[in-house]
Amino acid sequence: MNKFADFIARNQYSHMIILAVLLLVILPLSMDIFRLNLVGKYLTYAFVALGLVLCWGYGGILSLGQGVFFGLGGYCMAMFLKLEASSPENTAIQSTPGIPDFMDWNQLTELPWFWEPFHSFGFTLFAVIAVPAVFAFIIAVAMFKRRVGGVYFAIITQAVAAILTILIIGQQGYTGGVNGITDLRTLHGWDIRTDEAKYILYYINALLLFLALFVAAFVIKSKLGRLLVAMRESEERVRFSGYDVSGFKIFIFCLAAAISAVGGAMFTLQVGFMSPTFVGIVPSIEMVIFCALGGRLSILGAVYGTLLVNWAKTSFSESFPELWLFAMGALFIGVVMAFPNGLAGVYQRYIEPLLLKMSKKDDSPSAPTPAAKDASSDKADTSEETLTSEERKHA
C-alpha cells in the first residue's frame, strides 16, 4: 500500500494512468450502455473544460463563449451525417428528394452551396477543426491586437454566443432552427445507434480526450506554457521583454477552440443530434463552471470536474425534479467558497501530503532488532581484543 502511495505521489504520469483505468476499464465494465453513453456525453464537455484550462487558467483569457466552438464542431459533423441520411432513396416522399427534411419543410428546392463540401468525410474532419479555429482567429485578432482583455473580452465572447444562437435559430431553412439537425443515423453506412457502435464511439471519444490531454500537457511544460503564466501575472512586463503578447494569446485561444470543436463533433456522433441550445450563453457558462470546479490550473481536474458536475446534475434531476437547480447552485457556491482552487486544490492540499507521508514512512529505516544489537556488540568486542593484542606486540 505504501509503495502504491509513493508511486502516486512521486510519479507525474500516475494520475493519467489512474484516469485511463477509470475511463477505459472500470466504467465500461461496471455500467450499462445507457449510463456509459451518458459518461461519453460528459467527456465531450471535458474537451471544452480542457481548452479553458489552457486559455483561462494559464493564459488568463476568460472566455464565456466556448460553446460557440463546441457547437461549430458539432454542426460540421451533423451536416455530413444529415446529408448521408438524406439520400434520394430515404427522402423519396419529400417534394424535393435528396435534401435534408427541414430544408424541404421550409420550401428550399436545392442544397445550399455551403452544404455541398460536407458530402466528403475528409473535408468534414478538416472542417471540424478548421471552421472553429478560423472563427476563433478572427475574434482573437480583432480583440487582442487592440489589447482588449479581461472582463471586456469575456462580455464580447458572451455576446458572440448570443448572436450565433439567434442566427442559427433564425436561419431555420439552412440550419434546422431551434430543433437543430436531428435524426442522424449512419456514418458511411455504419449504424451509430446500436449498442456496439456506442461502445466503440465511447472508446474513440476517450482516446481523443487523452490525446488532447497530452497536447495540453506538452504546451504547459513548454516555453509557451511558461510565457502564458508570465502573461497572466504581468502582461506588460512580458511585452516590454520583447515578446508579441497578442500572438501568444491568439494561438492559445485558437488551440482551445479547436479542442472544444473535437468535443462537439464527438457529441454529435454519440448523441445523434446537434442544436443551438449547446451554442448559447448558458452552456458556455456551465462549461466554465466545469473548469472552475475541477481546478482551472489542472488539466486532469477539468476532466474530473466535468464528470462530477454532470453526474450531480443527472442525479439531482432524476431524484429531485423540482429542486435540482437549487441543489446544483448550492454545490457550486459551496465548492467555490470552501475550495477556491477546485478539486485539484483539494488534492494538492490534503490528499497529496498524506500520500507523501505514507511513502516516507515506508522509506524510513526500521529500528534494529535485539539480535542485531547483540551481534553488533560481539563484533565490537572482538575488534577491541584484536586491537589490544596488536598494541602489545608493538610494545
Side-chain angles (χ1 to χ4, degrees):
M1 179 65 184
N2 289 339
K3 291 183 178 180
F4 179 69
D6 180 66
F7 172 74
I8 296 176
R10 298 180 187 276
N11 193 334
Q12 58 181 344
Y13 295 107
S14 62
H15 306 94
M16 195 82 76
I17 295 172
I18 292 172
L19 180 62
V21 172
L22 175 66
L23 296 182
L24 300 178
V25 180
I26 296 177
L27 293 182
L29 292 177
S30 60
M31 289 184 168
D32 58 57
I33 188 59
F34 174 75
R35 295 292 176 183
L36 188 65
N37 197 44
L38 279 180
V39 174
K41 185 178 76 169
Y42 302 159
L43 292 179
T44 62
Y45 301 145
F47 285 88
V48 187
L50 179 60
L52 281 167
V53 169
L54 293 176
C55 71
W56 178 36
Y58 284 88
I61 306 167
L62 176 57
S63 171
L64 298 179
Q66 291 300 101
V68 168
F69 312 116
F70 180 86
L72 286 175
Y75 266 98
C76 288
M77 181 59 69
M79 290 167 74
F80 170 80
L81 298 177
K82 189 63 177 178
L83 287 177
E84 184 171 332
S86 303
S87 62
E89 295 79 14
N90 293 333
T91 56
I93 62 173
Q94 295 180 179
S95 57
T96 306
I99 64 173
D101 48 12
F102 58 83
M103 294 184 183
D104 186 64
W105 300 338
N106 287 273
Q107 300 180 353
L108 269 68
T109 57
E110 60 180 1
L111 193 68
W113 63 270
F114 58 88
W115 274 74
E116 290 289 350
F118 288 94
H119 282 290
S120 167
F121 185 62
F123 176 84
T124 300
L125 294 179
F126 171 76
V128 164
I129 302 294
V131 171
V134 170
F135 190 59
F137 179 79
I138 294 171
I139 296 173
V141 169
M143 296 296 104
F144 297 141
K145 288 295 184 180
R146 293 172 173 79
R147 300 188 183 181
V148 177
V151 66
Y152 302 104
F153 181 80
I155 293 173
I156 290 172
T157 54
Q158 198 173 44
V160 170
I163 292 170
L164 188 62
T165 303
I166 295 171
L167 180 65
I168 292 173
I169 294 174
Q171 299 298 317
Q172 182 172 340
Y174 300 99
T175 63
V178 68
N179 295 321
I181 301 178
T182 60
D183 196 23
L184 308 178
R185 306 170 186 173
T186 59
L187 174 65
H188 276 307
W190 177 50
D191 192 346
I192 59 175
R193 299 169 296 177
T194 64
D195 290 349
E196 180 185 2
K198 290 178 181 178
Y199 273 113
I200 294 173
L201 289 173
Y202 171 83
Y203 278 106
I204 293 174
N205 186 28
L207 293 175
L208 287 175
L209 178 60
F210 278 105
L211 178 61
L213 285 169
F214 282 117
V215 171
F218 175 78
V219 170
I220 290 170
K221 293 179 181 179
S222 66
K223 183 179 179 181
L224 173 60
R226 296 191 292 272
L227 281 171
L228 290 173
V229 174
M231 287 162 42
R232 183 192 66 200
E233 300 298 328
S234 180
E235 183 177 321
E236 292 300 324
R237 183 175 295 180
V238 176
R239 182 177 285 111
F240 292 150
S241 298
Y243 291 99
D244 182 12
V245 171
S246 62
F248 293 120
K249 283 188 171 183
I250 291 170
F251 173 79
I252 202 65
F253 186 66
C254 293
L255 178 61
I259 293 174
S260 302
V262 174
M266 290 308 303
F267 176 90
T268 300
L269 285 170
Q270 291 187 98
V271 180
F273 76 97
M274 175 54 67
S275 75
T277 55
F278 300 100
V279 180
I281 296 174
V282 174
S284 296
I285 294 178
E286 285 184 348
M287 292 164 184
V288 173
I289 293 174
F290 302 158
C291 176
L293 184 66
R296 65 188 182 100
L297 294 176
S298 172
I299 55 176
L300 294 179
V303 178
Y304 286 115
T306 304
L307 291 174
L308 177 62
V309 173
N310 284 281
W311 171 81
K313 184 177 179 180
T314 301
S315 300
F316 289 154
S317 61
E318 290 176 350
S319 303
F320 310 101
E322 298 177 355
L323 300 175
W324 72 273
L325 284 175
F326 298 99
M328 289 297 297
L331 174 65
F332 297 147
I333 294 172
V335 169
V336 170
M337 291 182 65
F339 311 110
N341 293 324
L343 297 176
V346 173
Y347 174 80
Q348 293 170 359
R349 185 173 180 179
Y350 298 104
I351 302 176
E352 190 173 28
L354 180 62
L355 294 174
L356 289 172
K357 187 177 180 180
M358 294 171 62
S359 64
K360 286 179 181 178
K361 284 182 179 180
D362 187 50
D363 293 339
S364 60
S366 58
T369 62
K373 287 183 178 180
D374 295 339
S376 62
S377 63
D378 293 341
K379 185 177 181 181
D381 294 340
T382 304
S383 62
E384 287 180 2
E385 291 176 359
T386 304
L387 181 61
T388 304
S389 62
E390 290 178 356
E391 288 178 352
R392 286 175 182 173
K393 288 180 181 179
H394 287 297

